[in-house]
Amino acid sequence: MYTLEMQKSIEAVEATRQARLNADLKRMTADEKENLLKKFHPDYKEEGFSILKIGANKGDKVPTELADLLQANSRLKGVKINLSKVDYDTDVLIIGGGGAGASAAIEANEGGAKVTIVTKLRMGDANTMMAEGGIQAADKANDSPAIHYLDALGGGHYANTPELLRKLVMEGPAAVKWLNELGVMFDKAPDGTMITTHGGGTSRKRMHAAKDYSGAEIMRVLRDEVINRGIEIIDFTAAIELIKDTEGKIAGAVLMNMETNQILIARAKTVVIATGGAGRLHYQGFPTSNHYGATADGLILGYRAGVPLLYADTLQYHPTGAAFPSQIFGALVTEKVRSLGAQLVNRDGVAFMNPLETRDVSAASIIRECKERNNGIETQEGLGVWLDTPMIELLHGEGTIEKRIPGMLRMFMKYGIDIRKVPILVYPTLHYQNGGLKINANGMTCVQNLFVAGEAVGGIHGRNRLMGNSLLDIIVFGRNAGQQASKACKDVKLKTLTLQHVKDFENEMKNAGIKSNKVSPLLLPTYTHRNK
């Protein structure tokens, strides 16, 4: 299975392991981090970005792959739409069936609104399902929301929107309590106390987990709650444009059945965009840990409707994506592996960084080790470094890996790799959309009654997200969006439905001289190559 180079490198890792157990791996200074990021992090590679020519962010840079979709043709171009023929009429329309959408649906339903979820795949097919490490919340005696705030602010390079970050940390403990009461099976000590661990960039142990299935467990419970409440779910149906009324308020969405391409109209008094991330756009050719439908659809819909983007030029490349074997190239290796004590080491068995640096610093460090220092290990897909997983059981005892990260153990065992005995090869993988649509403290955009929750939001995490704050934000801001949307819909009286904003955007493209052969939203990625 392993090449000769890999075998020799594993021997070097094993030879240095005992000495590294007690090694004091110092953290980088602020200047060292800044210099490292500017030189090696993908966000700083100018050739990976384009300048927007139209829209609310005209003049700003965004990843080229995103720019191509933001400035593409609407799927409705040349299509006659009868907005008076309404197929679905609801109070709160939620676009997206992941953790944020489900949380919003539950709270909107609790508020007495008629709720409809539309999702282009199935309910629960989302990045939430694939999250592994845990959810942060400052609910221990030695911790506080203020400390959590400072950790996240520093991790986000002090670019976080203050009111959004404050809401995240202040409502964190209540969010975990809500999930626990709904039935999420968090890891607990025999006395019922929740077990918490460190994450990269955290100064306290505030990571609550359900082994390394945290997202799947949370999604299981939320999905069941949505179904048990009888909330309407329209699956395999995508939102392809937002609808406004003649006063400029949000008024629903144009939908498309993914199997038949039938166009449907959903009228709604309020809309929540909860469409998730953009990993399947494979920015700069990176692999991704994201689910199949993560194609930035919400950003496209919102931008076309006039909502500005915030920090769309910053992405999170998770430092530990699987680099070997090729069958799982890019798959997430949860940060929990490092929080339990596994070190990142190069081909000579040398630990080259503190294992709990923030994700952007860790990713840039790995790229530097491979690209500049030539200390990486060659794989079929490129390069990688070792994540020394056997250290975990040396530190915490035999059986720890099977108990605490069984998903990781099983994922690698499928390919004959026992992570209890040998290290694993990793390299950064495209993981999270730090930027997104701009919202205010109650979750609404500049378009009246259009709310956003989850990974489609920009500003909560600044320019880099700490582990565990994503599962937290989908709950905090998902619940908030549902509460605010159900409250707002009670006073809404919609005027005539219109798609004028779509026509206006098309004219703006024409006036800017933009000619595109693409349509957006993309909806699903394409991995086949067809001859023209």
Side-chain angles (χ1 to χ4, degrees), residues 102-128:
S103 298
I106 292 165
E107 289 294 352
N109 175 267
E110 187 70 16
K114 180 182 178 183
V115 182
T116 300
I117 298 173
V118 59
T119 177
K120 65 184 177 183
L121 297 172
R122 298 167 300 177
M123 187 71 192
D125 284 339
N127 281 345
T128 303

Side-chain angles (χ1 to χ4, degrees), residues 412-459:
F412 282 94
M413 282 292 278
K414 287 180 181 178
Y415 306 99
I417 298 171
D418 188 341
I419 68 174
R420 296 168 296 189
K421 298 176 181 178
V422 292
I424 54 179
L425 280 169
V426 296
Y427 193 78
T429 184
L430 184 53
H431 184 60
Y432 191 80
Q433 176 179 276
N434 287 324
L437 297 167
K438 188 176 180 180
I439 61 170
N440 60 24
N442 75 352
M444 193 189 294
T445 68
C446 61
V447 177
Q448 189 174 349
N449 298 329
L450 176 62
F451 299 84
V452 189
E455 198 171 342
V457 173

Side-chain angles (χ1 to χ4, degrees), residues 212-339:
D212 57 352
Y213 301 121
S214 301
E217 171 62 8
I218 288 171
M219 194 68 246
R220 175 190 70 82
V221 170
L222 293 177
R223 179 179 177 274
D224 284 353
E225 183 68 13
V226 167
I227 292 171
N228 290 341
R229 284 173 174 262
I231 294 170
E232 183 178 36
I233 301 169
I234 309 168
D235 56 9
F236 297 109
T237 302
I240 58 173
E241 287 295 352
L242 296 174
I243 300 171
K244 295 183 180 181
D245 71 4
T246 48
E247 291 184 340
K249 301 190 302 292
I250 203 67
V254 179
L255 312 180
M256 184 182 77
N257 184 293
M258 295 290 287
E259 297 174 308
T260 66
N261 290 336
Q262 180 186 7
I263 299 297
L264 304 161
I265 303 301
R267 181 169 57 194
K269 297 175 180 177
T270 57
V271 172
V272 178
I273 291 177
T275 51
R280 288 289 166 173
L281 299 186
H282 292 286
Y283 296 133
Q284 299 185 39
F286 270 80
T288 185
S289 63
N290 283 196
H291 83 105
Y292 192 54
T295 50
D297 299 349
L299 304 195
I300 311 301
L301 299 179
Y303 194 70
R304 209 169 269 155
V307 182
L309 302 173
L310 190 61
Y311 305 143
D313 60 325
T314 172
L315 289 303
Q316 183 166 92
Y317 296 82
H318 196 292
T320 55
F324 179 85
S326 58
Q327 295 96 321
I328 53 171
F329 181 55
L332 182 63
V333 176
T334 173
E335 192 169 312
K336 191 174 181 181
V337 177
R338 285 185 289 140
S339 73

Side-chain angles (χ1 to χ4, degrees), residues 358-404:
T358 55
R359 285 179 170 176
D360 54 350
V361 170
S362 299
S365 295
I366 293 170
I367 293 171
R368 177 178 65 180
E369 200 69 16
C370 291
K371 299 294 178 70
E372 183 183 75
R373 297 177 174 175
N374 297 316
N375 286 328
I377 301 95
E378 287 191 16
T379 71
Q380 290 173 305
E381 307 293 343
L383 294 166
V385 297
W386 297 110
L387 184 56
D388 196 8
T389 48
M391 288 188 71
I392 293 173
E393 302 212 331
L394 288 178
L395 289 166
H396 302 291
E398 188 176 339
T400 301
I401 287 177
E402 186 171 8
K403 181 180 180 182
R404 301 292 295 277

